[in-house]
C-alpha cells in the first residue's frame, strides 16, 4: 500500500520542525512507518542555492559565498514572487524522487513545508486578493501539473498570530535569514496562509491561547490526532 504524504505548514515561530520530528518519532513508536523530510533541502545543491544565494542564511553564505548576505541585494522579500517561486519549485523537483520512492515503499512521509509555503510567502508580496488567487493557480499548474509533484493527502497549518511571532523573534539573539528580518512580509504571509487554509481546506491548529504559546506536547497531541484520522482512511 502506498504511503501517505502529510504536509506540515505554519506561520513564523509555530514550531514546524519540532512538531514534524515529534510526529515522526510517535508514528514509528506506534508501528506506523514514517519518515520526516523538509523543504528547502539545504544539504542538497538546489537547497544551498536557495539558502545562500537567495535567503542569505549566514551558515550557508559562509560555506558557499564567503559572505553574510545573499546575492539579491534588494532582499529575498523584495524579489518578484514568480522568480522566487521557481527556485523553491526547482528544489522540490530535484529532491522529489526520494519522496516518491518512500511513498511507493509504503512509508508515510512527513514534510516540513511544501508548495504551500511558496504560495504563502511569495503570494504575500501581492497586494490584492484576486491577484493572489491567480498566483495560487499558477503555482498549482507549475508544481503539480508541469513538475508533476505529488499532491499531499493531508495539510496541517500550525497557526501563530503575527503579534506573537514577532514577540518570539524579538527574543532571539540573531535571525537566521533575510525573510525573518522583514516583519511586514511576515504579517503578509500570515494573512495569505489564512486565505490558503480557506481555499484548500487545511486542517488548522491554534498554537496559542490567550496570546501565549500552548505547550509543545499539547500541540503534538492535536496534530497526532489529525494524522491518525487520515491514516485510518
Amino acid at each position: 500500500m502506498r504511503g501517505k504524504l502529510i504536509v506540515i505548514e505554519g506561520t513564523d515561530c509555530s514550531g514546524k520542525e519540532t512538531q514534524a520530528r515529534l510526529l515522526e518519532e510517535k508514528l514509528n513508536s506506534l508501528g506506523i512507518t514514517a519518515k520526516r523530510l523538509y523543504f528547502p533541502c539545504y544539504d542538497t545543491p538546489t537547497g544551498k542555492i536557495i539558502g545562500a544565494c537567495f535567503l542569505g542564511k549566514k551558515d550557508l553564505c559562509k560555506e558557499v559565498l564567503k559572505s553574510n548576505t545573499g546575492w539579491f541585494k534588494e532582499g529575498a522579500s523584495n524579489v518578484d514572487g514568480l522568480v522566487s517561486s521557481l527556485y523553491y519549485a526547482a528544489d522540490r523537483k530535484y529532491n522529489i524522487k526520494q519522496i516518491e520512492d518512500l511513498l511507493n515503499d509504503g512509508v508515510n512521509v512527513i514534510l516540513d513545508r511544501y508548495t504551500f509555503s511558496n504560495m504563502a510567502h511569495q503570494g504575500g508580496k501581492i497586494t490584492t486578493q484576486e491577484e493572489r488567487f491567480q498566483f495560487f493557480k499558477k503555482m498549482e499548474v507549475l508544481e503539480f501539473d508541469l513538475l508533476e509533484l505529488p499532491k499531499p493527502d493531508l495539510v496541517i497549518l500550525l497557526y501563530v498570530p503575527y503579534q506573537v511571532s514577532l514577540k518570539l523573534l524579538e527574543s532571539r539573539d540573531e535571525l537566521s535569514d533575510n525573510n525573518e528580518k522583514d516583519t511586514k512580509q511576515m504579517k503578509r504571509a500570515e494573512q495569505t496562509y489564512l486565505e490558503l487554509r480557506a481555499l484548500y481546506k487545511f486542517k488548522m491548529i491554534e498554537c496559542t491561547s490567550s496570546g501565549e504559546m500552548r505547550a509543545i506536547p499539547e500541540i503534538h497531541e492535536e496534530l497526532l490526532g489529525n494524522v491518525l484520522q487520515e491514516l485510518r482512511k
Side-chain angles (χ1 to χ4, degrees), residues 22-192:
L22 290 173
L23 179 61
E24 177 189 34
E25 292 171 357
K26 183 62 175 181
L27 290 178
N28 282 302
S29 74
L30 294 173
I32 302 170
T33 307
K35 174 69 175 176
R36 174 178 59 94
L37 298 168
Y38 53 87
F39 284 112
C41 297
Y42 289 123
D43 55 349
T44 67
T46 49
K48 287 183 178 180
I49 289 171
I50 293 170
C53 303
F54 184 66
L55 292 176
K57 284 186 174 290
K58 290 190 174 183
D59 53 341
L60 290 174
C61 281
K62 291 174 183 177
E63 176 188 346
V64 181
L65 302 178
K66 309 301 182 185
S67 69
N68 286 330
T69 60
W71 282 353
F72 293 86
K73 299 305 180 184
E74 66 270 42
S77 61
N78 295 309
V79 175
D80 179 87
L82 287 174
V83 172
S84 305
S85 296
L86 293 174
Y87 286 101
Y88 289 97
D91 182 52
R92 281 186 277 277
K93 181 63 176 178
Y94 183 82
N95 292 289
I96 204 64
K97 186 179 185 302
Q98 179 186 8
I99 293 170
E100 288 281 17
D101 288 346
L102 288 167
L103 292 171
N104 289 331
D105 287 340
V107 177
N108 299 293
V109 176
I110 302 161
L111 282 183
D112 175 355
R113 295 183 181 243
Y114 199 39
T115 187
F116 304 104
S117 286
N118 226 0
M119 292 181 181
H121 289 278
Q122 306 311 321
K125 299 174 181 178
I126 300 170
T127 56
T128 71
Q129 189 173 30
E130 181 179 355
E131 288 177 313
R132 283 194 297 275
F133 179 79
Q134 294 303 318
F135 176 78
F136 300 155
K137 293 303 177 182
K138 288 177 184 177
M139 290 301 99
E140 280 189 42
V141 171
L142 171 64
E143 302 214 23
F144 297 131
D145 294 339
L146 297 178
L147 299 183
E148 300 179 327
L149 301 181
K151 292 184 178 181
D153 296 285
L154 175 66
V155 181
I156 298 176
L157 175 65
L158 303 179
Y159 177 63
V160 175
Y162 162 76
Q163 295 88 343
V164 179
S165 298
L166 190 58
K167 184 167 62 173
L168 292 170
L169 283 174
E170 288 173 347
S171 68
R172 294 183 183 178
D173 293 332
E174 187 174 36
L175 301 181
S176 64
D177 63 51
N178 291 328
N179 273 343
E180 287 187 345
K181 298 172 186 176
D182 190 333
T183 56
K184 290 182 180 179
Q185 173 62 12
M186 281 175 49
K187 186 173 184 179
R188 293 192 296 262
E190 175 205 17
Q191 295 170 339
T192 308

